[in-house]
Amino acid sequence: MKHIAILGYGVVGGGITGVLDGNREAIRAAVGDDVNVKYILDLRDFPDSPYGDRVVRDASVIMNDPEVCLVAETMGGAHPAFELSMDALRAGKHVVTSNKEVVATFGDKLLACAAQNGVSYLFEASVGGGIPVIRPFLTSLAGERVSAVRGILNGTTNFILTKMKTEMRPFADVLREAQELGYSEKDPTADIDGIDAKRKIMILGALATGILADESEVYAETISKISPLDMDAAERAGAVIKLVATAEIEDGGVAFFVCPQMVKKTDLLASVDDVYNAVSVTCRVTGDVLFYGRGAGRWPTAGAVVADVVAALSGAASAERAPVFVKRSGTVKDFRDVSFSYYVRLSGVSAMDASEEFERYFDRVSVLDGSPAGKTELICSEATGRELEKLLSGRADVESVIRMG
Amino acid sequence: MKHIAILGYGVVGGGITGVLDGNREAIRAAVGDDVNVKYILDLRDFPDSPYGDRVVRDASVIMNDPEVCLVAETMGGAHPAFELSMDALRAGKHVVTSNKEVVATFGDKLLACAAQNGVSYLFEASVGGGIPVIRPFLTSLAGERVSAVRGILNGTTNFILTKMKTEMRPFADVLREAQELGYSEKDPTADIDGIDAKRKIMILGALATGILADESEVYAETISKISPLDMDAAERAGAVIKLVATAEIEDGGVAFFVCPQMVKKTDLLASVDDVYNAVSVTCRVTGDVLFYGRGAGRWPTAGAVVADVVAALSGAASAERAPVFVKRSGTVKDFRDVSFSYYVRLSGVSAMDASEEFERYFDRVSVLDGSPAGKTELICSEATGRELEKLLSGRADVESVIRMG
């Protein structure tokens, strides 16, 4: 019998006991032993749960119990998740987590502490919910050189953008629906402004490069400025607007960013709709590999946590190459130095005048057909953010600027 | 230093030494040691290769050398690949392979022999080329219950179907182009008639169920009968014709089959174009997970073989749960008992007469709009193959029948 503890018995934590109960036989076969939840750390009581008698309020009970060989941290937030995870690792317990904030912020320290203590720190569930992406990255793509990671990593914004497109409704309206459906938090900022996706691309970027960026080094742009006019323009450009998180890896440096982009319909990411997530990894030998699935939700996320529990308790994880994350300031490229093509919508200027003017700054400028009355739409390539800023500064006729993916 | 041998120095075998040389540092880091190709078994000479001096013609040199701890079998074909792999396993060497025929035919014996000798038999490269799918199946989805696997597993047929659709050209014409481009063998039967895809779904089905089917139990249907008229009809039905390989797993039994299907455009498999492959796995907890990438080609396939080399030599594979395949006749459902909806094209009969008649056999029949002159097209749901056979037998007016995915 292997004993584990769960820190935080919320949506995901509660899902873990559900998965452990529902798939007991398959899990026993994979681990080679029964898995027992000995403790649950939570401030609340759960009198109706069969696990109600496992609840403790004092973390030291868990840390001091040598029978507990693994801790599943599903508390969310950086603190006290970080401190408790460090305590568990120092006590020689494996730690598995679904908490992207703690991995993106303290992943370097947590992985180092795990290595020092000869245990595993696993975080498959922190990115892409139920999609197996972290482990394939570390195992199947071990020995590969990754040149880019691109992903649709936030289900809430993808749901909103999909609805806006198919029903041509404004952002605020669809956001309200997402909140009513429970897809979005009451305070939707972390989703909408790309903060959640930013943490996830920091984790994937660190897996690909070894460099754990500082949050301030990663650009994130909101989807709240996207309008039905933009959606319509994307359609005419043969594209779909998606919130894309990117890690670009070149010999010269790495760049991490999250922003709404017009993604060509021939790009598989354009077909990822609703709450689904996808991660595309560009490898030197293998080419493009894409992982797709449900990016959030109780069961997929809990399933991914349990997969990590199985990997840790079966010994599989300890045979895998553990990642090493390093914070090294100055290695991440400024987002304003990354080049893009852009969709630009202007009002009150003719297509001829606008394109003539923009051709002075861009190598290629084409006019998008079918613009609404009084609007001119251009596709311009290519310029860095700095160049674009200069060009657009002080212009009152610019309605919308969206990067092309 | 870890010594390995390569059996068969063709397209994939030659790619292995290329990947080992190109990614030497990353591989050393992952394995924890240098990897050296000590022998290459081939009947040919390779005087211009830096590996020319490693070539041997006598397999016993490899089998009897205790320094060789792993054999990469990239010969293709069932024999002598099977016998040599068994010899290597019995000699206590890990075996990794890209050879789907030998895995689909003798996977049960090879895995059992590996287990008896305490070594690994790994075959990531046998399905989906460079796409990590076998290992995620066994690790990330360990402890899951899989209810279906669907895949586009053959790049040649997917290339042909994609070209037929986008350029509205007949099958024979596009096949010729695929052969000229080197995408298809001179004898294209294994690709076109679904035999290659059949072997791959037998392997994926065995991973999901433990049952290794006999080739005779797996239905495979050719794409050679698909015409531009069918392509056009699919477009009007909001679908795309794909060669889909399926493993359906129910409590009552399993069914394995490969056939051209009209796949709805909202299904991600419909967006998998050209030589790309994709595998979709439906899991009880995690929901649908999809793996996508280049399904063939020297480098992706060699990359997958090397990933297995790394997994075996680092010890990661031995900590993973090794699959067990069992042949058990009578457990695989007859394809003719599987239910589908169908597209049916008839000539010389009015839409009204045809639908009236078909409504006697099907619960729902709808007429597809925009049919060419003199044709009637129906979408009929649902019936088993047996029921359909009875219905259509003896009719001379049936031009085309395609299953809906």
Side-chain angles (χ1 to χ4, degrees):
Chain A
M1 180 96 81
K2 306 267 192 188
H3 296 278
I4 72 171
I6 298 173
L7 311 185
Y9 204 51
V11 173
V12 177
I16 294 173
T17 50
V19 175
L20 287 173
D21 289 337
N23 289 356
R24 191 157 289 282
E25 276 177 53
I27 291 163
R28 184 192 295 132
V31 171
D33 205 343
D34 278 309
V35 177
N36 175 51
V37 177
K38 189 167 182 183
Y39 304 109
I40 291 167
L41 182 74
D42 208 294
L43 297 175
R44 295 164 291 180
D45 274 325
F46 300 89
D48 301 330
S49 162
Y51 287 91
D53 60 335
R54 325 285 169 95
V55 176
V56 296
R57 288 192 174 70
D58 178 4
S60 67
V61 173
I62 296 168
M63 304 306 164
N64 294 331
D65 186 337
E67 261 196 356
V68 174
C69 57
L70 180 145
V71 166
E73 181 268 302
T74 52
M75 313 180 83
H79 306 282
F82 170 59
E83 291 75 12
L84 291 174
S85 299
M86 290 294 277
D87 288 348
L89 293 169
R90 286 195 200 101
K93 303 176 195 310
H94 301 294
V95 174
V96 305
T97 186
S98 60
N99 181 341
K100 56 210 159 262
E101 189 174 349
V102 79
V103 181
T105 316
F106 299 113
D108 56 336
K109 296 189 175 65
L110 289 158
L111 284 165
C113 184
Q116 275 160 24
N117 290 282
V119 289
S120 296
Y121 182 67
L122 305 175
F123 44 89
E124 179 70 71
S126 68
V127 179
I131 313 174
V133 53
I134 309 275
R135 174 151 298 110
F137 219 109
L138 292 169
T139 56
S140 303
L141 302 180
E144 259 286 9
R145 278 193 264 166
V146 173
S147 61
V149 182
R150 291 167 67 230
I152 293 176
L153 302 180
N154 180 270
T156 306
T157 47
N158 205 45
F159 172 83
I160 292 173
L161 290 171
T162 304
K163 275 259 169 190
M164 285 179 68
K165 179 192 70 171
T166 49
E167 300 174 8
M168 278 297 161
R169 285 162 56 194
F171 169 77
D173 189 23
V174 178
L175 170 60
R176 207 160 30 237
E177 186 183 335
Q179 287 172 315
E180 283 163 13
L181 287 169
Y183 287 161
S184 178
E185 312 279 331
K186 264 196 190 159
D187 177 3
T189 321
D191 289 324
I192 288 167
D193 292 351
I195 298 163
D196 174 77
K198 180 203 271 205
R199 289 177 181 140
K200 292 170 179 168
I201 197 68
M202 286 167 68
I203 296 171
L204 293 175
L207 286 172
T209 65
I211 296 165
L212 184 63
D214 191 84
E215 265 208 58
S216 64
E217 296 174 308
V218 184
Y219 178 80
E221 191 174 294
T222 183
I223 64 155
S224 61
K225 57 161 200 168
I226 303 294
S227 70
L229 278 183
D230 295 321
M231 288 289 172
D232 180 62
E235 177 70 32
R236 279 180 283 119
V240 180
I241 299 177
K242 293 287 180 192
L243 184 67
V244 181
T246 307
E248 257 185 26
I249 301 142
E250 292 162 13
D251 291 340
V254 300
F256 303 122
F257 48 90
V258 178
C259 59
Q261 294 189 7
M262 287 194 183
V263 178
K264 286 221 178 70
K265 283 192 181 174
T266 48
D267 185 330
L268 215 67
L269 286 186
S271 306
V272 176
D273 280 335
D274 299 321
V275 296
Y276 279 86
N277 281 19
V279 178
S280 163
V281 185
T282 306
C283 305
R284 191 159 166 272
V285 171
T286 313
D288 277 2
V289 175
L290 183 128
F291 305 91
Y292 166 93
R294 286 194 177 276
R298 170 177 229 174
W299 298 114
T301 308
V305 173
V306 171
D308 272 350
V309 171
V310 168
L313 297 185
S314 68
S318 64
E320 289 163 11
R321 176 180 63 113
V324 176
F325 291 179
V326 177
K327 292 208 180 188
R328 206 185 301 149
S329 68
T331 45
V332 179
K333 205 163 150 185
D334 192 315
F335 176 68
R336 286 170 300 177
D337 294 325
V338 180
S339 285
F340 289 95
S341 296
Y342 301 89
Y343 159 83
V344 180
R345 188 171 65 246
L346 304 148
S347 66
V349 53
S350 77
M352 197 188 282
D353 288 351
S355 48
E356 217 172 78
E357 195 184 340
F358 274 70
E359 271 162 8
R360 277 185 268 143
Y361 301 93
F362 288 96
D363 283 344
R364 275 183 303 136
V365 175
S366 61
V367 178
L368 188 62
D369 285 338
S371 302
K375 315 284 183 196
T376 287
E377 295 169 298
L378 304 176
I379 307 291
C380 313
S381 56
E382 18 191 277
T384 64
R386 270 183 224 282
E387 289 165 339
L388 188 81
E389 249 172 49
K390 265 190 247 165
L391 165 60
L392 299 182
S393 78
R395 289 191 76 121
D397 57 355
V398 177
E399 277 193 5
S400 175
V401 177
I402 301 173
R403 289 173 192 83
M404 313 287 290
Chain B
M1 180 94 84
K2 305 268 192 188
H3 297 279
I4 72 170
I6 299 174
L7 310 186
Y9 204 50
V11 173
V12 177
I16 294 174
T17 50
V19 174
L20 288 173
D21 289 337
N23 289 356
R24 191 157 289 283
E25 278 178 51
I27 290 164
R28 184 192 296 130
V31 170
D33 205 342
D34 277 310
V35 177
N36 175 52
V37 177
K38 190 168 181 182
Y39 303 109
I40 291 167
L41 183 75
D42 208 293
L43 296 176
R44 294 163 294 179
D45 274 325
F46 300 89
D48 301 332
S49 163
Y51 287 92
D53 60 337
R54 325 284 169 95
V55 176
V56 296
R57 287 192 175 69
D58 178 4
S60 67
V61 173
I62 296 168
M63 303 306 164
N64 293 331
D65 186 337
E67 260 196 356
V68 175
C69 58
L70 181 144
V71 166
E73 181 269 302
T74 53
M75 314 180 82
H79 306 283
F82 169 59
E83 290 75 13
L84 290 174
S85 299
M86 291 293 278
D87 287 347
L89 294 168
R90 285 196 200 100
K93 305 176 195 309
H94 303 293
V95 175
V96 306
T97 187
S98 60
N99 181 340
K100 55 209 160 267
E101 188 174 348
V102 79
V103 181
T105 317
F106 298 113
D108 55 337
K109 295 189 174 65
L110 289 158
L111 284 165
C113 183
Q116 276 161 23
N117 290 282
V119 289
S120 296
Y121 182 67
L122 305 175
F123 43 90
E124 179 69 69
S126 67
V127 180
I131 314 173
V133 53
I134 309 275
R135 173 149 299 107
F137 219 108
L138 291 169
T139 57
S140 303
L141 302 180
E144 259 286 9
R145 277 192 264 167
V146 173
S147 60
V149 182
R150 291 168 67 229
I152 293 177
L153 301 180
N154 180 270
T156 306
T157 46
N158 205 44
F159 172 83
I160 292 173
L161 291 171
T162 304
K163 276 261 169 185
M164 285 179 68
K165 179 191 71 170
T166 50
E167 302 174 7
M168 276 298 159
R169 285 161 58 195
F171 169 77
D173 189 23
V174 178
L175 169 61
R176 207 158 32 236
E177 185 184 337
Q179 286 173 316
E180 282 162 16
L181 287 168
Y183 287 161
S184 180
E185 313 279 332
K186 264 197 190 156
D187 177 3
T189 321
D191 290 323
I192 288 167
D193 291 351
I195 297 163
D196 175 78
K198 180 203 270 204
R199 288 177 182 142
K200 292 170 179 168
I201 198 67
M202 284 167 69
I203 296 172
L204 293 174
L207 285 171
T209 64
I211 296 165
L212 184 61
D214 192 83
E215 266 207 58
S216 64
E217 295 173 309
V218 184
Y219 177 80
E221 191 174 294
T222 183
I223 64 156
S224 61
K225 56 161 201 170
I226 303 293
S227 70
L229 278 183
D230 295 321
M231 287 288 171
D232 179 65
E235 178 68 35
R236 282 180 280 120
V240 180
I241 299 177
K242 294 287 181 194
L243 183 67
V244 181
T246 307
E248 257 185 25
I249 302 143
E250 290 163 14
D251 291 340
V254 301
F256 304 123
F257 49 90
V258 178
C259 59
Q261 294 189 5
M262 288 196 182
V263 177
K264 286 222 177 69
K265 283 193 182 174
T266 48
D267 186 328
L268 216 66
L269 286 187
S271 306
V272 176
D273 279 336
D274 299 321
V275 295
Y276 280 86
N277 281 20
V279 178
S280 165
V281 185
T282 305
C283 306
R284 191 159 166 270
V285 170
T286 312
D288 276 2
V289 175
L290 182 130
F291 305 92
Y292 167 94
R294 285 193 179 278
R298 168 176 229 174
W299 299 113
T301 308
V305 174
V306 172
D308 272 349
V309 171
V310 168
L313 297 185
S314 68
S318 64
E320 289 163 11
R321 176 180 62 112
V324 176
F325 291 179
V326 177
K327 292 209 179 187
R328 205 184 302 147
S329 69
T331 45
V332 178
K333 207 164 148 184
D334 192 315
F335 176 69
R336 289 170 298 176
D337 294 325
V338 181
S339 285
F340 289 94
S341 296
Y342 301 88
Y343 159 83
V344 180
R345 187 171 66 247
L346 303 149
S347 65
V349 53
S350 77
M352 197 187 284
D353 288 350
S355 48
E356 216 172 79
E357 194 184 341
F358 275 70
E359 270 162 9
R360 275 185 268 143
Y361 301 93
F362 289 97
D363 282 344
R364 275 183 303 138
V365 176
S366 61
V367 178
L368 188 61
D369 284 338
S371 301
K375 315 282 182 196
T376 288
E377 296 169 299
L378 303 176
I379 307 290
C380 313
S381 53
E382 329 210 313
T384 64
R386 268 182 225 284
E387 288 165 340
L388 188 80
E389 248 171 51
K390 264 189 249 164
L391 165 59
L392 299 182
S393 77
R395 288 191 77 120
D397 57 355
V398 178
E399 277 194 3
S400 174
V401 178
I402 301 174
R403 290 173 191 83
M404 313 287 289

